[in-house]
Each structure stands twice: as C-alpha cells, then as structure tokens.
Amino acid sequence: MFLLPDYTFTDSLPRYEIASAELVERTHGHGFAWFGRAASALYYAYRVAKSRHVLAQAEVIMPSVMCTTAAHTALLTDCTPRFADVDPHTALVTLDSIKARYTINTVAVVVIHLLGNMVDVAPIAEWCKQKNILLIEDLAQALGAVLPDGKPAGSYGDLVVYSFNKTKLIEVGGGALVANSARIAERLNNILVQYPPESYSMYDIPSLGLAYRNLHHSLVTLLRINRSTPDQIATVYNTAREVHPMEQALYIRPMNPNINFDETWQALPARLEARQHKAEQYYDALFRHSAWKLLAGWQTSQVCWRFSLLVNQPEQAMTFSESVRKDGFHVSNLYWAVNQLMRPSDTCPNADYVSRRIVNFWVDDSVDSAWITRCCESILHHADLLTVDAV
Ligand SMILES: *Cc1c(COP(=O)(O)O)cnc(C)c1O
C-alpha cells in the first residue's frame, strides 16, 4: 500500500487498511491520501496540477453543472475556475465543451461523474495527455461505478477524488485522493509533507457552511425567476466570497483517525445494489410519462446517487417540486449552473437548460420501497403542472 504522506495514520491504520488497499488497487494507483473532505482532496489535486507549470495565473476547467466546491477550492489554490458546458441530455461535460475553455494557462481538467451518470472520460484523458495537463476525476457521486467501456470509474484520472461524507455513497466521514502514477504520487507526497491539512477547531464550521448555502439558495432563486442577470448575481456572489471568513477552515481539514472505515467499506456492494433496485422502481413507474425525460446513466454505471429527471416545463419546475415536497417526499433541484454565479462570461446555454429542469429524488437508506411507491404516485399526480396546457 502507498499511503501519503509517508507518515499518515501510523497509529490507527488497521481500521483503514482494507479500504485504502482496495481503493488504490481498483485504479492501479500509486498513492493514496485521506482527508476530512473531498473538498480538501480537490484542493491538493489542484496544487499538484499547478506545481507542474510556471504560470502567472493558472486555470482549471470544470463542469458548469455541479456544486460550487470544486470552484471554491480552486480559488483557494489561486487557480481560476473555467466552466465547461454540458450535454443537455446527460448534464455531463464532453471533450468538445472542455476544449472550448482551453487556454495556455490551463493546468488541469476536473470531470465529475454526476448523480451516477458517467462522463465519457477516455477521449478527455487522451487529450489531457497531449496538452500535458492533469485529469482530475471526481467520484464523490460515483463510488464503485463502472465507465461506459467497462473499466472502474477513476481509471483515467491522474488524480481521483472521493467523498465519504453525509449524503454520499458511504457516509462515515472524510474524503480521499488517489494518485494514479508514481510521479504524481511523489508530487502529492511532497506537497502534503510541506503543507499538511490543518484542523481549525476555533471556527464554527457548520455556521460557515450555512452562510454559503443561504447565499447560494438566495441568488439561485433570483436567477431562476429571471429577476436579475447573471452578471449582477456574480458580482454579489464573488464579493460575498471575498468577505466570507476562513474559507480555508471550511474546505481544508484532515481525516478523523478515529473512524472505523473498513466496516462501512465492506458494506458498500450491498448498499449500491439496494440503491439500484430503488432507481429501477422509480424508472418503471415514471418512464412512460411525457412530462419529463429521465437521466438513466445509472443503468450502465451501476451506481445511482439521486434519481433525476428533466421536466419539460422549466417555468413549473419549482411549483412541481414544492407540490411533491408538500406530500411529504424529499425533492431537490440540484444543480444550478455555477458559471452564472462565478463567471457568466463562460456562457453555458445547455447548463442553463439543465439547471431549470432538473428534479432529484432519493434512493438512499432514508427511503424504502413503500415510500418510493407513494412518492411516484405523488409525482404522477402533480405531473399535470408540467403539461403545456397548465402553463
Ligand atoms: C459532495 C461533493 C463534493 C464535496 O464533498 P465533501 O466530502 O463534502 O467535501 C465534491 N464533489 C462532488 C461531485 C460532490 O458531490
């Protein structure tokens, strides 16, 4: 096993041993580091990518449809996030949309396998090699998933990011970064030895996080109802980011060594299978209706993070979600296009299309088959809202 930095967890390793070894083995990795969050893993991945070039202002290309974490952590390393548009049918980046954001300052590309739908990552990896930039694969929502060509997710990234925090496929806490070559592992090790993640126990981390979530929801709502332009909103968002106290404390932290990780790790296959059954249940109940299109990449990836659909009437998406929520079911509308919050000049029309239409439902341990049956009844009951006549 190749745990990084060289001295990590020497006292408590046995409770991490199986998971560490299997995660490295899966992608034939050369080094593995534990963190308190996937956000910290992204941060160190960017630092590695940046360390390979001498540039005044490095840039990282990332998806426009995602949570804001990958962009915030890039800014913490003084890399500029550049947002690639998505395919409107999959909500995923493509080689062409990534190429459109390339400049001589690009040091890395982040691909995110979103909601269990897998990016066609092989041609992107090939292109990154030609350009001598790093490919970072984010598996926070795709742990244990299979790529379209049958390889395990994470097989193509130079660096692979994992999250084990709440709402993810394993929820014991923490995150990890796998380096898939000896050279990258060595760079990562050197950076970790020199700049290890610190614990900021003097900050109220939940409040810092809440401050961002409230800001995000508020600004996304204004964008959704077309009351403000992305330029106006981005000005507010980027200014708020500058005054946010201690972003570093929110995103960068070490793994808690007291977690018994291996036990949860070994339960993963059974958990993924249970989620798959739940996704199939939604699919069978909903696929015939013409009010939406289902995102069904989970059928081939074998991992469903959320069951998602794109409704045909975006103006009604919020009313529809709220109606199902009032019936007692979990509903979310992730994700809003991050370029509109942080860099509207990276225009992403397809990301806007997806953001206004996406509705997500739960397949985790908090729901069972009877719950999903009732949830689908509620969804179908409110589908009228999404037909043209109702608008
Ligand atoms: C949740 C998530 C993260 C951040 O994970 P943390 O462990 O909470 O830092 C990063 N990327 C994606 C795609 C995520 O879904």
Side-chain angles (χ1 to χ4, degrees):
M1 219 193 320
F2 314 94
L3 272 183
L4 307 177
D6 300 332
Y7 52 77
T8 317
F9 292 141
T10 39
D11 295 337
S12 54
L13 191 57
R15 291 183 296 175
Y16 290 76
E17 202 161 28
I18 299 168
S20 310
E22 289 190 10
L23 276 163
V24 170
E25 191 210 339
R26 221 163 247 224
T27 57
H28 308 291
H30 284 258
F32 182 94
W34 289 100
F35 297 100
R37 294 189 59 170
S40 316
L42 281 163
Y43 171 87
Y44 283 97
Y46 297 140
R47 288 194 72 144
V48 170
K50 214 180 146 186
S51 74
R52 299 172 67 249
H53 304 264
V54 182
L55 288 167
Q57 188 53 60
E59 297 181 6
V60 181
I61 302 171
M62 57 189 69
S64 44
V65 176
M66 60 169 195
C67 60
T68 55
T69 307
H72 284 228
T73 44
L75 288 165
L76 283 176
T77 63
D78 203 20
C79 286
T80 303
R82 298 297 309 270
F83 300 100
D85 205 359
V86 297
D87 179 322
H89 305 294
T90 62
L92 301 171
V93 289
T94 63
L95 176 57
D96 283 344
S97 74
I98 288 169
K99 279 182 176 172
R101 293 294 177 252
Y102 178 80
T103 74
I104 50 161
N105 294 320
T106 307
V107 298
V109 172
V110 183
V111 297
I112 297 181
H113 301 296
L114 204 70
L115 309 155
N117 301 280
M118 309 309 282
V119 176
D120 184 12
V121 75
I124 298 171
E126 188 58 41
W127 178 78
C128 285
K129 269 203 189 70
Q130 283 169 21
K131 294 288 184 195
N132 187 30
I133 59 178
L134 292 190
L135 177 64
I136 301 167
E137 241 184 303
D138 182 336
L139 265 57
Q141 302 179 8
L143 178 62
V146 183
L147 292 166
D149 62 9
K151 290 194 180 170
S155 295
Y156 289 99
D158 296 296
L159 289 154
V160 186
V161 172
Y162 295 92
S163 173
F164 311 112
N165 279 315
K166 246 174 121 58
T167 80
K168 300 302 155 66
L169 297 151
I170 285 181
E171 297 185 275
V172 290
L177 186 60
V178 172
N180 276 340
S181 76
R183 272 209 202 144
I184 301 296
E186 192 186 334
R187 268 185 195 276
L188 174 59
N189 193 60
N190 291 343
I191 291 170
L192 281 168
V193 168
Q194 233 181 319
Y195 309 99
E198 289 173 60
S199 292
Y200 296 92
S201 54
M202 66 290 239
Y203 290 95
D204 179 356
I205 304 283
S207 296
L208 292 179
L210 184 64
Y212 260 134
R213 274 199 301 285
N214 287 341
L215 176 72
H216 186 272
H217 284 305
S218 147
L219 296 181
V220 165
T221 303
L222 294 177
L223 287 166
R224 197 186 285 279
I225 62 175
N226 300 312
R227 282 307 143 98
S228 316
T229 66
D231 282 331
Q232 291 172 317
I233 294 297
T235 303
V236 177
Y237 190 85
N238 291 326
T239 307
R241 202 195 139 259
E242 279 165 28
V243 302
H244 189 283
M246 281 312 293
E247 258 199 319
Q248 191 92 5
L250 186 57
Y251 290 114
I252 317 303
R253 58 179 111 117
M255 180 67 160
N256 172 0
N258 298 316
I259 292 170
N260 184 343
F261 200 89
D262 283 347
E263 205 172 292
T264 318
W265 171 255
Q266 290 175 299
L268 179 66
R271 292 181 65 128
L272 294 182
E273 201 182 319
R275 297 175 82 102
Q276 204 68 3
H277 285 306
K278 291 172 190 177
E280 282 161 10
Q281 197 187 338
Y282 282 105
Y283 187 88
D284 290 344
L286 303 178
F287 83 95
R288 282 181 205 86
H289 209 289
S290 62
W292 45 66
K293 292 191 181 59
L294 307 180
L295 290 182
W298 52 269
Q299 289 174 327
T300 42
S301 76
Q302 303 294 309
V303 173
C304 186
W305 184 62
R306 292 273 191 271
F307 184 89
S308 306
L309 46 85
L310 300 176
V311 301
N312 289 344
Q313 291 293 323
E315 305 81 4
Q316 298 297 309
M318 285 298 99
T319 316
F320 169 72
S321 302
E322 198 48 43
S323 303
V324 177
R325 197 173 288 124
K326 276 196 187 124
D327 287 344
F329 303 102
H330 307 306
V331 187
S332 71
N333 300 89
L334 303 177
Y335 290 93
W336 193 269
V338 181
N339 61 302
Q340 295 185 15
L341 294 168
M342 298 180 75
R343 193 183 174 96
S345 56
D346 282 351
T347 52
C348 300
N350 295 336
D352 185 73
Y353 175 95
V354 168
S355 297
R356 292 177 188 278
R357 286 169 176 77
I358 195 160
V359 185
N360 323 100
F361 300 99
W362 267 233
V363 295
D364 65 6
D365 286 347
S366 71
V367 304
D368 62 14
S369 166
W371 192 97
I372 293 169
T373 300
R374 285 183 283 112
C375 179
C376 289
E377 283 166 10
S378 167
I379 294 168
L380 289 164
H381 177 71
H382 296 295
D384 293 355
L385 289 167
L386 301 168
T387 61
V388 183
D389 293 347
V391 180

